[in-house]
Each structure stands twice: as structure tokens, then as C-alpha cells.
Amino acid sequence: MSNQREALKGELREFEKYGKKLDRAIDTVLAGGVKESVFLPSGRKVITVVGTLGDELIDPERPYCSCSNFFFRVLGGREETCYHLLSHRIATKTGKVDTVPFSDEEYGPYLAATIGDVFEVLGKSAG
Ligand SMILES: [Zn+2]
């Protein structure tokens, strides 16, 4: 795993300033943790990143992440981004986003299940 990480790091010089967060993001990307679920035919997308505690829901355009680090540190102005959003940027850049197609009928149940996971993770990080 760490050799792969170093190899990928060579392609990501502009992200070096993120330090440990970059290592964590690269490991997440290498583990296939960045998933884009695309709902068809609408083309609506739900992007999740599997972190150390579980699934986080992200919106890179806003940007937004459901993790508590984003809420407290990024929105609080202490950090520029969280490692989930960083993972998505790296996965997009290196072509390692795991894209999964769904039908539009599955959107509701999918979102409900994902949000359920997110709440579970929030519960863990609060405890
Ligand atoms: Zn996050």
C-alpha cells in the first residue's frame, strides 16, 4: 500500500501542502473509497467517500462534506478542506472514481440508506 501511495504522490505535487491529510486521502482513493452513484436517465449524482468511520456524503461543487471535521474545522475557518473532499479531487484527477449506475427509481431508497449511514457515523464521532 505505501509504495503505491508514494507513486501516486509523485503525480500530486500541488497537494503536498496537505501533509498527513494527503496520505489519508491517497489511501482512501487507493482503497476505492470514492464513489459516484449516477442515477439515470436524469444524470443526478450522489458522491460518497468511505472514510475511517464510514460513508460520508460530499458535494464537491458547493463544497460540502457530512463529516464533523468539515463542520467544525472547515466551516469554522481553521482548515481549507477535509480529507474526504481531498480524496474526491485526487480520485477525479487520477481517474480512480468508482462510478456506479442506478435507475432514477432507486434514488429515494439510496439516499435514505446513505443518510442513515451518515447519521450513524456522526453518532460515532460525537461519542
Ligand atoms: Zn469530510
Side-chain angles (χ1 to χ4, degrees), residues 32-74:
V34 180
K35 294 188 201 304
E36 287 193 4
S37 302
V38 183
F39 294 85
L40 300 167
S42 69
R44 199 155 34 177
K45 257 191 222 173
V46 177
I47 306 172
T48 56
V49 178
V50 185
T52 41
L53 294 169
D55 281 6
E56 302 289 357
L57 207 51
I58 68 163
D59 182 348
E61 284 169 32
R62 218 173 273 259
Y64 171 78
C65 178
S66 58
C67 76
S68 56
N69 191 61
F70 183 85
F71 186 79
F72 290 111
R73 293 180 181 277
V74 181

